[in-house]
Amino acid sequence: MFVRCVKLKRTQTAVSQWTCHLKGFQKMSSTQEEEEEETQSPERLSENELHTEEEEEEEEEEETQDLASFPSASSRSSPPVSPQVSPPVSPQVSPPVSPPVSPQVSLQVSPQVSPQVSQELREVLCTLVGNLDIKALPPPANRINVVRADILESAFRAFRRKAFNPERKLDVVFIDTCGQGEGSVDNGGPTREFLTLLMKALMSSRFFVGPASSKNLGLDSIGLSRGTYKVIGNIISVSVVHGGVGPHVLSKRLLCRLTGETTPPVDLMEVEDEDLRNQFQKIKQAATTGEVQEAALEAASSLSLLGSLSIIRTLSDRDDIISSALSYYLEGRLDAPLKQLQEGMEALGVLQALREKPALRLLFFGGPPAPLTAEQVTKLFQVTFSVAGSSRRLEEERAVGHWRDWPIDVEGGDAVLIQDGLEPVHITLEDVLMFATGADRIPPLGFSVVPSLAFLHEPLNSQRKRKFPEANTCALIMRLPMHASYEQFSDSMISGIKQSPQFRTA
């Protein structure tokens, strides 16, 4: 029995609180504080003089922690700071509000990023999230009916609508093989999974070429005539701002062209067409003028299309031909698609931020994030136990013991499902997080609530015992099955997660 998401009451405050948090500490600049001190009344000054040095030091430490990291669970549950300790503010300035992010978010934004850069990335994303109107319900044009077998085309249909509004929430509905909705209301889980799957599908499509870790733009003339590259730019912007999901694998050349910076020297290995690359390689390796002329004659058709076919008189002509052909192939012929892509990425201010805020480039360039670790996954979830001393509590403690061992085995490759006559089934920690939350990485801004673990005690609808894990990706609750042995627990977790990629009951 697999349950991925159920109907829930909409919660729409998390992103706005993130924005308030950023705006709060930005407004409290040093200049404003000096002006406020000059305009304070004598009564206010005398009141401030009552503060002890210890209170002022504690106040400075709290402000520093707000800027350095998201609050922990203990800090969110602490009583509010006395108004007498807070610095005086103008009536127009709202006090900073801490974002309701799980304490585990501070563990890692991206495994490749230092904590200081991670904070900068969060600040940039908070600013971009401020462009969203998340209070209103999503308009009908923002409904995205997703066919899992055709993620990209499903997205294109929705993003091409004239009334589609990137500033409003998405309303994602996954469609199963029978053409029916999977039974979930999008309170965050379906959107997270959709954006994650969509970005992977986009980077694997014909619109991007090259190695998996370094993607250049691909040329699709039909897509260009239909404005598809602008739609792709919109998709990237929406994915970054709505879900913190970026491409991660753009090449340095493409990133530089997007930001308007100087591109690196052309490299023959960037040519993804093997036949064309071999032709260029033969010309480049020719040692005499005669060999160059012979190699150029074989590649005459390709050189002509690239505007690089010319008379060869010296070996220096060889280098000019290769340089001009590579430059046009890797950049010149892609000017029109690039322009469309840039137009699309102007949505929600993403292109401007990419040019001005280097921290945001971590979502675009550098390769896929490092794999999750067992420690990250284990610490991410809070456990909801029954009353201490109860029979249920004893069963739950055994299940938690199984759970804490299991991510270690998954990370080490020891968690494998063996079935007679079938190939061994392996699983990754990314599969586990995707099943539980709809995201295969911890988002840069974290989750709106702390993911939690619950337990499957009662049978569903008086049926047999529920032996497979269940997850609610909107409420971020994963329910563990209760098994007497670790082997049964591991097999049921692998089988349930690998066979349940949908928000539904099977």
Side-chain angles (χ1 to χ4, degrees):
M1 195 71 65
F2 317 134
V3 178
R4 293 294 304 282
C5 189
V6 297
K7 293 183 178 180
L8 295 172
K9 182 178 179 181
R10 295 181 179 273
T11 58
Q12 303 172 334
T13 60
V15 178
S16 62
Q17 289 177 324
W18 289 330
T19 307
C20 291
H21 176 62
L22 177 65
K23 291 180 178 178
F25 69 73
Q26 283 181 335
K27 289 181 179 179
M28 293 304 300
S29 63
S30 58
T31 302
Q32 288 174 318
E33 290 176 351
E34 293 174 359
E35 293 175 355
E36 290 164 356
E37 290 175 0
E38 293 174 358
T39 57
Q40 284 178 323
S41 64
E43 293 79 9
R44 182 61 178 173
L45 290 174
S46 61
E47 181 181 347
N48 288 340
E49 291 173 353
L50 297 177
H51 292 186
T52 65
E53 294 181 358
E54 294 179 353
E55 291 174 331
E56 293 175 351
E57 291 175 355
E58 291 175 357
E59 183 180 11
E60 292 175 356
E61 291 176 356
E62 290 172 353
E63 293 175 353
T64 302
Q65 291 173 355
D66 280 342
L67 296 176
S69 63
F70 286 129
S72 63
S74 60
S75 66
R76 292 201 310 275
S77 60
S78 301
V81 180
S82 172
Q84 295 176 343
V85 180
S86 303
V89 296
S90 171
Q92 292 81 11
V93 179
S94 300
V97 180
S98 300
V101 182
S102 66
Q104 291 80 5
V105 171
S106 60
L107 288 175
Q108 208 150 7
V109 171
S110 169
Q112 301 163 330
V113 181
S114 67
Q116 181 179 2
V117 176
S118 299
Q119 177 63 24
E120 293 172 0
L121 176 59
R122 287 195 290 266
E123 292 175 9
V124 174
L125 288 176
C126 282
T127 302
L128 294 176
V129 168
N131 296 325
L132 302 180
D133 179 11
I134 60 159
K135 295 182 179 180
L137 294 175
N142 279 30
R143 165 66 65 89
I144 305 177
N145 295 296
V146 183
V147 179
R148 290 182 179 272
D150 204 356
I151 293 281
L152 201 54
E153 289 303 319
S154 300
F156 283 165
R157 288 196 300 270
F159 279 77
R160 288 183 188 277
R161 295 180 187 135
K162 294 180 179 180
F164 180 85
N165 188 348
E167 297 179 0
R168 300 282 288 276
K169 288 184 63 177
L170 305 181
D171 184 14
V172 177
V173 177
F174 282 86
I175 307 299
D176 63 15
T177 55
C178 299
Q180 302 295 321
E182 292 180 359
S184 68
V185 173
D186 187 0
N187 287 322
T191 293
R192 277 192 297 271
E193 181 166 13
F194 167 66
L195 295 178
T196 300
L197 296 176
L198 175 60
M199 192 57 63
K200 291 180 178 179
L202 189 59
M203 291 298 106
S204 301
S205 71
R206 64 187 182 277
F207 301 103
F208 292 88
V209 297
S213 61
S214 183
K215 292 290 186 179
N216 286 311
L217 266 183
L219 178 59
D220 185 289
S221 57
I222 296 177
L224 179 63
S225 66
R226 295 175 178 174
T228 304
Y229 289 91
K230 182 176 180 178
V231 177
I232 292 173
N234 267 293
I235 289 175
I236 293 175
S237 292
V238 168
S239 297
V240 167
V241 179
H242 283 258
V245 180
H248 284 289
V249 294
L250 298 188
S251 68
K252 185 177 181 180
R253 182 175 308 283
L254 179 52
L255 180 64
C256 289
R257 299 202 74 197
L258 285 171
T259 59
E261 300 173 32
T262 303
T263 57
V266 292
D267 186 351
L268 186 59
M269 298 310 297
E270 292 182 75
V271 178
E272 78 284 352
D273 187 299
E274 185 176 359
D275 292 336
L276 184 60
R277 186 172 64 250
N278 290 337
Q279 289 177 348
F280 288 169
Q281 187 72 33
K282 189 173 181 179
I283 297 174
K284 185 177 181 180
Q285 293 177 345
T288 65
T289 304
E291 291 177 356
V292 175
Q293 292 173 342
E294 182 180 352
L297 183 61
E298 294 179 6
S301 167
S302 301
L303 293 174
S304 178
L305 290 174
L306 297 173
S308 301
L309 184 62
S310 63
I311 299 175
I312 300 173
R313 295 187 177 90
T314 64
L315 288 179
S316 62
D317 295 334
R318 171 197 63 187
D319 299 332
D320 293 341
I321 287 176
I322 293 298
S323 178
S324 63
L326 287 176
S327 295
Y328 185 76
Y329 183 83
L330 296 175
E331 297 183 5
R333 71 190 182 100
L334 299 172
D335 284 344
L338 178 70
K339 184 178 180 180
Q340 282 191 13
L341 185 67
Q342 290 173 322
E343 290 176 358
M345 288 180 59
E346 289 175 356
L348 303 177
V350 170
L351 182 62
Q352 181 179 355
L354 186 64
R355 290 170 171 169
E356 299 175 356
K357 306 294 183 180
L360 185 62
R361 301 180 187 187
L362 296 166
L363 295 182
F364 289 79
F365 170 74
L372 292 169
T373 66
E375 182 179 8
Q376 284 178 294
V377 174
T378 303
K379 288 185 176 181
L380 184 64
F381 292 89
Q382 288 186 349
V383 182
T384 304
F385 283 112
S386 297
V387 179
S390 63
S391 59
R392 284 191 172 187
R393 178 63 174 263
L394 295 176
E395 293 180 354
E396 292 168 357
E397 289 175 350
R398 180 173 57 194
V400 170
H402 293 164
W403 158 254
R404 289 180 177 172
D405 282 336
W406 190 64
I408 299 175
D409 291 342
V410 172
E411 183 180 11
D414 298 319
V416 183
L417 177 61
I418 305 296
Q419 297 175 301
D420 293 339
L422 299 175
E423 292 290 329
V425 179
H426 298 267
I427 194 170
T428 66
L429 292 174
E430 287 73 24
D431 294 331
V432 178
L433 191 63
M434 190 78 171
F435 173 82
T437 68
D440 62 354
R441 306 285 172 186
I442 300 173
L445 291 180
F447 296 106
S448 57
V449 297
V450 179
S452 62
L453 292 178
F455 305 92
L456 295 172
H457 285 287
E458 300 86 357
L460 184 63
N461 299 327
S462 300
Q463 298 176 2
R464 62 183 180 179
K465 184 177 180 179
R466 291 138 78 181
K467 59 182 296 186
F468 298 109
E470 300 176 6
N472 184 320
T473 60
C474 296
L476 298 180
I477 300 173
M478 181 165 64
R479 297 178 175 86
L480 301 178
M482 314 294 284
H483 291 286
S485 71
Y486 176 76
E487 289 73 18
Q488 291 176 329
F489 175 86
S490 179
D491 289 349
S492 69
M493 291 292 289
I494 297 173
S495 181
I497 292 174
K498 296 297 285 188
Q499 297 184 59
S500 181
Q502 302 175 346
F503 296 87
R504 66 188 185 113
T505 300

